[in-house]
Amino acid sequence: MRLLILAFGLLLLSAAPSLAERIYCPIPEDGVWVNADAEPKEISRVEVESRCENEQVFVRVRAFTSCVPRDCKWGWTDAQLRSDGAVEVLLIGFLNSKQLTLKGFGDLLDVQVINIVNDLSEPKREKTYNLKRE
């Protein structure tokens, strides 16, 4: 009898990780996020949309950089949801690209940006911003 109870307990413990891998939508990063203090060419706004389909999470991101007279827009781009819960997206432009890693913390979005000059004439530059939910 004890052996049966022990076997049943081990079976429950082995099933626990699959319960932890449940998918929730929308993800915490979903929404519109703004950086009111953005300097020129810095991230001023990020929009994240997520949806769940067939036990998979699909995410797309659109980012804006501070420009004059109005902000420059990077188009909607498919993003990846990493195993640590962060969202990663590569925005490709003609002269440069931006790799964004997004992680939501309540009403704040931590945005790590790696700026890449496409012809590699300059080194990569990295900066982190904290955006607020709009």
Side-chain angles (χ1 to χ4, degrees):
M1 182 68 176
R2 288 183 184 172
L3 185 58
L4 184 61
I5 293 172
L6 181 61
F8 184 71
L10 289 174
L11 179 65
L12 285 176
L13 287 175
S14 67
S18 64
L19 295 174
E21 296 173 11
R22 235 175 122 183
I23 295 175
Y24 295 97
C25 274
I27 61 174
E29 293 79 11
D30 195 284
V32 178
W33 306 85
V34 294
N35 177 8
D37 301 324
E39 298 289 327
K41 297 186 180 182
E42 289 185 344
I43 296 293
S44 60
R45 178 183 176 103
V46 172
E47 297 176 2
V48 180
E49 291 184 353
S50 63
R51 64 181 168 80
C52 292
E53 215 174 270
N54 298 325
E55 298 296 321
Q56 286 188 314
V57 179
F58 296 92
V59 183
R60 68 181 194 151
V61 174
R62 179 166 65 171
F64 297 80
T65 53
S66 181
C67 296
V68 175
R70 62 183 173 275
D71 287 353
C72 299
K73 182 178 5 177
W74 296 77
W76 285 105
T77 305
D78 290 335
Q80 301 298 318
L81 185 62
R82 298 188 330 194
S83 61
D84 65 355
V87 174
E88 192 168 80
V89 63
L90 179 62
L91 306 173
I92 300 173
F94 183 70
L95 298 175
N96 60 28
S97 300
K98 294 182 183 301
Q99 179 180 333
L100 276 60
T101 304
L102 315 171
K103 186 70 177 166
F105 300 98
D107 284 339
L108 289 177
L109 182 71
D110 184 53
V111 181
Q112 177 190 17
V113 180
I114 300 174
N115 290 301
I116 306 162
V117 176
N118 289 346
D119 67 2
L120 302 177
S121 61
E122 296 178 24
K124 294 178 184 178
R125 291 175 294 142
E126 186 176 330
K127 188 158 185 181
T128 302
Y129 304 93
N130 289 309
L131 280 66
K132 294 183 181 177
R133 190 179 296 275
E134 185 173 75

